[in-house]
Amino acid sequence: MKVATAAAAVLLVWCHSASGDGASAQLLCNGHAELCSRPYNSISFACTHNSYSYPPPTESLALNQQRSIQEQLDDGVRAFMLDVVRPSAAESIWNRLINWTRQVFSPPNASLDSVHLCHQSCSLVDKGRFVDTLKVFAEFLDKHPSEVVTFIIENVSGFSAKDLQPSFAQAGLEKYAFTPKPVFAAHAANHSGYQWPTLGQMVSENQRLVVFVDSGEQADVVPYILSEWEYVVEIPYANINPVKEFPCNQDRPRDGQPRDLLVLNHFAYNRLTIAGKNIDMPLHPSQIKEHQYNSVASLQMHLGTCAKTWGASRVFNFITLDYYDIGNSSVFQIVNKINGVK
């Protein structure tokens, strides 16, 4: 059945374009034939920071985006930073008793209600159950068999992969999840050099969702939830407004060892200091416009600086913005330029 599904997916993504002597077939991957032959780690993707943190509530001071997950997908965003949090209500004695009862009498759905998408605290922004947002992604992948999507999950409440797995299963996403084959790590050393499949292979095998988590991975239990820090490095994210020059040094993990994938965090925070404690809050859209952080010029300057640190040939895989829609589609222009496509 799996082979048949994958074959059907391949047939669906063959596009027929007119030529002088008839129709020629061409496989597209994330909208571009040129990307099909390239390994996953050699491609750049538009990424949103705290992708779920959009209105409502409009008045929240912890928003990072203006457009919904569905709108982000429709616009061309293909990498999403998501925070999984246990709602504070679930910590009360009464709710602990309810959750315990569910775990005993209804184990298949035991964790669905306890895993929410929240901005650190669910009192700031609570986008509800993780599984409900995952269903949006599942529907998108169902309808777009040539698209590859990535999750970078911040595990705020310390869930195990086993805790997160029911949400993926219930949403119908497990069938799309990329699972490394036994030979995947055969030539890898020091967290790099993995033999990543090409986008074309991922499309043809219908493994079009890559899932990274910053903690709680259990490769022997849920092999498709991958350890972020095994494969990914990030440059600093705690950039305080106003930013004169975005940094490029390896911030996480701080072991100095490169990985196959690189996150370029290109966003800033407003910092408040109260009683000696720093509190960082996202910028308002008007501030991003004022400082032109999302402009092509700002992104190009950042990439130019980082090329000096990482080397001119290094691909910056996840170009990550707050309010990505501000800046006349600049992030998509930059990603296309990195990928050498139009």
Side-chain angles (χ1 to χ4, degrees):
M1 186 59 132
K2 186 176 181 181
V3 173
T5 302
V10 174
L11 289 173
L12 284 171
V13 298
W14 286 91
C15 299
H16 296 277
S17 58
S19 62
D21 54 357
S24 60
Q26 189 175 46
L27 178 66
L28 301 181
C29 300
N30 280 25
H32 301 281
E34 300 95 321
L35 300 184
C36 291
S37 61
R38 298 183 196 170
Y40 171 80
N41 64 312
S42 298
I43 296 170
S44 184
F45 304 89
C47 181
T48 47
H49 174 229
N50 291 344
S51 313
Y52 59 88
S53 189
Y54 57 85
T58 305
E59 68 278 3
S60 174
L61 297 177
L63 298 180
N64 299 90
Q65 306 298 333
Q66 301 186 119
R67 298 173 69 77
S68 69
I69 294 291
Q70 183 62 63
E71 290 172 318
Q72 293 175 42
L73 285 164
D74 292 343
D75 286 346
V77 176
R78 292 295 177 265
F80 301 81
M81 290 188 170
L82 307 169
D83 292 7
V84 287
V85 182
R86 193 184 308 276
S88 56
E91 301 304 319
S92 69
I93 294 176
W94 175 246
N95 279 282
R96 286 180 183 177
L97 178 61
I98 292 175
N99 287 337
W100 176 84
T101 303
R102 285 175 175 160
Q103 290 172 9
V104 172
F105 296 104
S106 183
N109 296 322
S111 63
L112 292 180
D113 292 335
S114 63
V115 185
H116 278 221
L117 287 172
C118 299
H119 193 131
Q120 297 297 322
S121 167
C122 291
S123 62
L124 293 173
V125 173
D126 186 351
K127 270 296 176 282
R129 301 190 310 167
F130 185 39
V131 64
D132 295 327
T133 292
L134 292 186
K135 290 177 181 177
V136 176
F137 287 106
E139 183 177 358
F140 177 83
L141 292 173
D142 289 343
K143 294 179 178 179
H144 300 84
S146 65
E147 299 296 319
V148 176
V149 169
T150 301
F151 293 164
I152 302 175
I153 299 175
E154 183 176 352
N155 191 2
V156 177
S157 291
F159 295 106
S160 67
K162 189 175 181 180
D163 293 327
L164 300 178
Q165 185 272 339
S167 296
F168 285 90
Q170 184 74 17
L173 276 178
E174 286 191 313
K175 63 179 178 288
Y176 295 126
F178 167 71
T179 302
K181 295 179 173 62
V183 297
F184 181 70
H187 305 291
N190 298 323
H191 311 291
S192 62
Y194 289 94
Q195 301 303 298
W196 292 91
T198 65
L199 246 59
Q201 290 171 325
M202 297 174 77
V203 168
S204 66
E205 294 176 10
N206 214 22
Q207 291 199 336
R208 298 181 288 113
L209 174 66
V210 184
V211 181
F212 297 110
V213 65
D214 66 350
S215 67
E217 68 280 356
Q218 297 170 294
D220 56 333
V221 178
V222 190
Y224 62 80
I225 297 183
L226 309 178
S227 169
E228 179 182 1
W229 307 131
E230 178 62 25
Y231 307 104
V232 183
V233 295
E234 294 193 20
I235 67 171
Y237 65 92
N239 307 304
I240 307 306
N241 185 56
V243 179
K244 293 183 179 180
E245 182 178 86
F246 282 95
C248 297
N249 57 290
Q250 182 171 322
D251 183 52
R252 297 188 296 174
R254 296 181 179 178
D255 57 11
Q257 294 183 350
R259 268 70 165 170
D260 288 336
L261 298 157
L262 179 58
V263 173
L264 187 91
N265 289 314
H266 190 83
F267 51 85
Y269 291 93
N270 291 316
R271 173 162 289 179
L272 301 176
T273 303
I274 302 175
K277 183 178 180 180
N278 292 328
I279 301 174
D280 293 344
M281 300 295 290
L283 269 59
H284 187 271
S286 62
Q287 293 178 289
I288 293 178
K289 293 177 181 177
E290 176 188 353
H291 295 283
Q292 298 186 350
Y293 289 138
N294 288 5
S295 66
V296 169
S298 179
L299 283 162
Q300 285 182 330
M301 183 178 296
H302 194 183
L303 286 165
T305 302
C306 290
K308 298 175 184 177
T309 301
W310 293 90
S313 62
R314 180 68 195 240
V315 174
F316 299 93
N317 303 99
F318 305 109
I319 312 299
T320 310
L321 269 63
D322 282 342
Y323 297 104
Y324 75 96
D325 54 312
I326 296 175
N328 296 320
S329 300
S330 57
V331 66
F332 302 111
Q333 295 178 48
I334 291 296
V335 164
N336 285 345
K337 184 176 181 179
I338 294 172
N339 290 332
V341 299
K342 295 182 180 179

